[in-house]
Amino acid sequence: MGHWICCLCSRVAESLMLLLVLAVSCNPSAAATASPTAPHIKPSYSFGRTFLGLDKCNACIGTSICKKFFKEEIRFDTWLSSRLKLPPSYLLSYLGNYTDDAKSWRMVDITRLTTKYQHDRADKRICTSLLKTKTCSLEHALRRTHRFQKWLRAKRLTPDLVQGLPSPMLRCPSQRLLDRIVRRYAEVPDAGSIYMDHLTDQDKLRLLYTLSVNSHPILLQIFPDVEGWPFPRYLGSCGRLVVSASTRPLRDFYGAAPEVAADLALQLLAVLRSMGTNDLNYFFYFTHVDAGTFGVFSNGHLFIRDASTLGIIDKEEGSQLIDGQQEYKDIFSCLTVDCQPAFVSCSSIREKHSLIMVCQELLPKLLKGKFLQPVQEKIDSFLQHCASGLADDQGINEATAKLAEILKPLRSCDSRFAYRYPDCKYSDKY
């Protein structure tokens, strides 16, 4: 009896299974529903070593942020989809998104120290001038130079090791400034030492290469925003790309409302003032300014967006290069541009130097025709006086102080200026 019941159950089960198969075969949609879901393959960016510049290392900036690129924690443009293609490699800068948790994203700027064309031209120049070939190992070629051999033997970065490099920052170097570069170089583990013992040969080449092409990322590292310096935050480098906090160039605000223009002009004057007077006794000056030199964060705060044209004079130690001496020049002096004539002497730089350029190039475009008379007339008069450069340092400073007095009541206190709101409601400072 028990055996018969088992056989019956088995046959019933087989019949039910057959009915289920027939039902599914007659209903394709049911079959699609019943079939297991195909595994989803996540598409990803195809980061070539050439796009990033990793194929040129160690003649590159660094590798500290490469993992972020390959883990897709840095994505280009406003695209949060990894299915989109990489942007063209010939662009100088890119807008990107950066995340630490894959949930919240923030805007970043991804930039090259110079155009890809200039980089490629420089690479050819290295090979043809040093090894007499059209192509070569850049690292091998640069390692053979007299300057780099001196860097390898050096325990400390001294003025003679940077003499003739094109960066304005190194035109008037002090030992104190060079020690700060070594101590705060962010592409290596922080050793807090002024000696280069913690730098490998590769680290030394990357530092020398960066200083030879564009000192912008070095300035961001040694004068960080968290200490109150007016620069965007340096996030890292990969190959020949630098990643920093994102700002909109000042040119985007030339058509801004009067109260916004007044606020940015006041910030611009304050930045220039801090460049001349700060706790560390460094005097910063510009060799050139344009509409992309300064940038504005989303909270309305103005920063120096491009530090490549900044020179530094140490008011505490002074320059350790003698004005007028014959400068040593080599391939590192002319990597991405033709060798330029020497900058003006360190002793000839005055406090009004940067202010005059800003009054000539930026403030008129920012403030022109923004206000009612007679206020606009007063602003134009002060700017013309400043731009002429005829007055001495004290006269220029007095003119800008008067300009600041005119502009202060013209700015407003609201959420558009998040960097000072709501503090401005309760403080006479604003």
Side-chain angles (χ1 to χ4, degrees), residues 277-297:
T277 306
N278 51 74
D279 293 342
L280 292 185
N281 239 355
Y282 287 114
F283 171 58
F284 298 79
Y285 66 93
F286 285 103
T287 57
H288 170 78
V289 296
D290 57 38
T293 302
F294 294 89
V296 183
F297 281 120

Side-chain angles (χ1 to χ4, degrees), residues 292-320:
T293 302
F294 294 89
V296 183
F297 281 120
S298 58
N299 64 358
H301 207 169
L302 181 136
F303 277 64
I304 297 173
R305 188 170 189 257
D306 179 4
S308 63
T309 62
L310 269 180
I312 302 177
I313 294 175
D314 191 335
K315 295 197 290 185
E316 189 171 301
E317 285 191 3
S319 169
Q320 294 196 21

Side-chain angles (χ1 to χ4, degrees), residues 120-134:
D120 292 342
R121 186 180 171 207
D123 295 343
K124 289 179 181 177
R125 180 179 292 174
I126 292 169
C127 293
T128 54
S129 63
L130 297 179
L131 297 182
K132 311 303 180 186
T133 60
K134 291 184 178 180

Side-chain angles (χ1 to χ4, degrees), residues 147-189:
R147 188 190 293 267
F148 186 64
Q149 289 302 313
K150 285 181 66 177
W151 273 62
L152 287 180
R153 294 190 299 268
K155 291 291 184 182
R156 193 174 182 182
L157 187 60
T158 51
D160 63 295
L161 295 177
V162 299
Q163 184 186 18
L165 295 185
S167 168
M169 181 183 76
L170 300 173
R171 173 62 191 164
C172 313
S174 68
Q175 188 60 58
R176 186 169 72 115
L177 176 64
L178 297 179
D179 288 343
R180 189 176 183 87
I181 291 174
V182 173
R183 200 171 59 245
R184 295 190 167 214
Y185 182 42
E187 287 299 309
V188 299

Side-chain angles (χ1 to χ4, degrees), residues 23-55:
V24 168
S25 64
C26 293
N27 188 351
S29 62
T33 305
S35 63
T37 307
H40 175 66
I41 301 174
K42 182 182 177 183
S44 62
Y45 282 127
S46 176
F47 277 115
R49 291 170 59 82
T50 302
F51 181 87
L52 295 169
L54 281 171
D55 59 325

Side-chain angles (χ1 to χ4, degrees), residues 356-375:
I356 291 172
M357 285 194 289
V358 168
C359 287
Q360 290 173 341
E361 300 295 330
L362 303 183
L363 287 177
K365 296 172 184 175
L366 187 63
L367 299 174
K368 184 178 180 180
K370 288 287 171 67
F371 309 98
L372 299 175
Q373 301 296 356
V375 172

